[in-house]
């Protein structure tokens, strides 16, 4: 059953402004669309194309079952940018697709949705060493993503990629079990997000929205007629502080028990 997350036009515009700027998506890019249009990852393909005047090539779904056809398509259409789910990237590396053909035009590989295995990341980097690789993280409730990590060093198998630092229009931090901010490296906490890109709740489901969106415990006193309360959304994930205000790593507990933990985000309503 779909969650029915309500994402406003404002949130999409807010997110895409920063997304395209950070990763230098321009009118010269050719985006290879992997995500179906009912999946929120496609928001990045569609609206980056519209925002920048880029080109979007809609890759036939069946090609992801035939890596040779997929690679032929990427080469023939001169695709420069992949904003794909990790599982889609791993299809090529698992089936040794690069032994057949390397799409040399690719310059940006932005991935999300799952933990990227370092083994598969290193295969991509071996064949496309000049490309920029970015790990982005965030649930639908935050309008696609709230953190990013540009891969800036070599990672060994068994290491975890950080989910990185916040997009400039977001504040991302961790809270412990007593709702205190986690600032010491190595400590775990709930991943919390504030910003204008947070969704408005769940469509036609006020009861679920009321349960999931609660007052931000760090700012109990914030309230005004123009903004209303500062609200948190509760759903499912945890992280580890690497360095305060810089990078967050996914918790190993998160990797094992994705649906057993909570991710809390908050939204401040802003008067249009």
């Amino acid at each position: 059953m779909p969650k029915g997350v309500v994402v406003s036009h404002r949130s999409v515009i807010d997110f895409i402004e920063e997304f395209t700027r950070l990763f230098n998506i321009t009118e010269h890019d050719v985006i290879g669309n992997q995500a179906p249009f009912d999946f929120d990852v496609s928001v990045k393909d569609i609206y980056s194309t519209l925002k920048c005047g880029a080109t979007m090539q809609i890759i036939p779904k069946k090609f992801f079952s035939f890596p040779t056809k997929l690679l032929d398509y990427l080469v023939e259409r001169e695709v420069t940018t992949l904003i794909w789910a990790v599982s889609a990237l791993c299809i090529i590396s698992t089936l040794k697709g690069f032994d057949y053909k390397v799409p040399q035009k690719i310059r940006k590989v932005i991935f999300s949705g799952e933990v990227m295995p370092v083994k598969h990341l290193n295969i991509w980097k071996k064949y496309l060493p000049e490309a920029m690789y970015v790990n982005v993280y965030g649930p639908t409730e935050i309008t696609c993503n709230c953190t990013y990590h540009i891969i800036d060093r070599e990672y060994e198998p068994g290491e975890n990629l950080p989910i990185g630092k916040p997009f400039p229009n977001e504040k991302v931090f961790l809270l412990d079990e007593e709702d205190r901010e986690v600032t010491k490296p190595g400590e775990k906490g709930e991943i919390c997000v504030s910003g204008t890109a947070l969704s408005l709740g769940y469509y036609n489901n006020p009861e679920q929205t009321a349960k999931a969106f609660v007052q931000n415990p760090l700012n109990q006193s914030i309230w005004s007629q123009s903004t209303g309360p500062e609200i948190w959304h509760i759903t499912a994930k945890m992280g580890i502080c690497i360095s305060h205000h810089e990078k967050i790593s996914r918790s190993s507990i998160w990797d094992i028990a994705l649906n057993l933990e909570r991710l809390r985000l908050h939204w401040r309503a802003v008067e249009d």
Side-chain angles (χ1 to χ4, degrees):
M1 177 68 68
K3 291 188 288 186
V5 177
V6 178
V7 177
S8 68
H9 289 117
R10 177 194 175 181
S11 292
V12 172
I13 293 168
D14 185 54
F15 172 72
I16 289 297
E17 285 283 348
E18 297 297 343
F19 184 84
T20 54
R21 182 184 64 81
L22 280 172
F23 307 133
N24 193 31
I25 297 174
T26 72
E27 69 272 18
H28 302 297
D29 278 299
V30 179
I31 299 171
N33 166 249
Q34 171 260 321
F37 289 175
D38 59 355
F39 184 27
D40 69 339
V41 174
S42 67
V43 167
K44 291 174 277 190
D45 295 338
I46 296 167
Y47 290 97
S48 293
T49 300
L50 293 173
K51 168 70 170 61
C52 301
T55 299
M56 184 173 75
Q57 298 288 350
I58 303 174
I59 303 170
K61 183 178 179 181
K62 62 184 179 181
F63 286 2
F64 287 91
S65 299
F66 301 96
T68 55
K69 292 185 178 181
L70 176 57
L71 288 163
D72 283 339
Y73 188 94
L74 296 177
V75 171
E76 291 167 5
R77 302 300 176 98
E78 298 186 334
V79 170
T80 67
T81 303
L82 305 180
I83 308 170
W84 286 11
V86 168
S87 56
L89 293 172
C90 289
I91 289 171
I92 292 175
S93 49
T94 298
L95 299 179
K96 300 181 178 180
F98 291 130
D99 290 346
Y100 167 70
K101 188 175 288 186
V102 178
Q104 298 287 355
K105 295 279 188 177
I106 291 175
R107 289 293 177 265
K108 305 177 185 79
V109 182
I110 303 169
F111 49 87
S112 62
E114 306 154 59
V115 176
M116 167 61 89
V118 171
K119 173 184 176 181
H120 291 275
L121 172 63
N122 288 342
I123 291 172
W124 275 82
K125 291 181 67 180
K126 174 183 175 182
Y127 287 95
L128 290 166
E130 300 303 317
M132 174 178 65
Y133 295 87
V134 187
N135 184 26
V136 293
Y137 164 80
T140 304
E141 285 85 350
I142 193 59
T143 309
C144 298
N145 304 123
C146 55
T147 66
Y148 70 98
H149 175 63
I150 297 173
I151 306 302
D152 56 0
R153 67 172 179 85
E154 296 298 319
Y155 284 85
E156 297 297 326
E159 286 190 272
N160 290 325
L161 299 181
I163 60 174
K165 57 187 178 182
F167 280 85
N169 59 339
E170 311 292 344
K171 180 183 178 183
V172 179
F173 49 98
L174 304 177
L175 286 184
D176 64 18
E177 293 181 352
E178 297 181 4
D179 289 334
R180 295 174 301 193
E181 187 173 1
V182 173
T183 59
K184 294 181 180 179
E187 291 188 353
K188 297 179 182 179
E190 296 175 306
I191 302 172
C192 306
V193 186
S194 67
T196 54
L198 194 64
S199 72
L200 305 180
Y202 301 103
Y203 178 72
N204 202 27
N205 195 342
E207 291 185 3
Q208 184 59 32
T209 299
K211 290 178 181 177
F213 287 76
V214 297
Q215 171 69 31
N216 172 14
L218 296 181
N219 293 287
Q220 292 284 354
S221 62
I222 292 180
W223 181 284
S224 75
Q225 290 183 348
S226 63
T227 65
E230 190 172 16
I231 304 297
W232 292 84
H233 166 65
I234 302 173
T235 149
K237 307 184 174 71
M238 292 189 74
I240 299 173
C241 180
I242 296 179
S243 59
H244 188 38
H245 298 316
E246 182 57 28
K247 294 180 181 177
I248 298 173
S249 176
R250 302 182 194 208
S251 166
S252 58
I253 299 175
W254 184 91
D255 294 336
I256 296 168
L258 179 62
N259 294 317
L260 298 181
E261 298 178 350
R262 300 185 303 157
L263 165 65
R264 303 205 309 186
L265 312 127
H266 74 272
W267 162 66
R268 180 181 297 175
V270 180
E271 188 174 38
D272 290 335

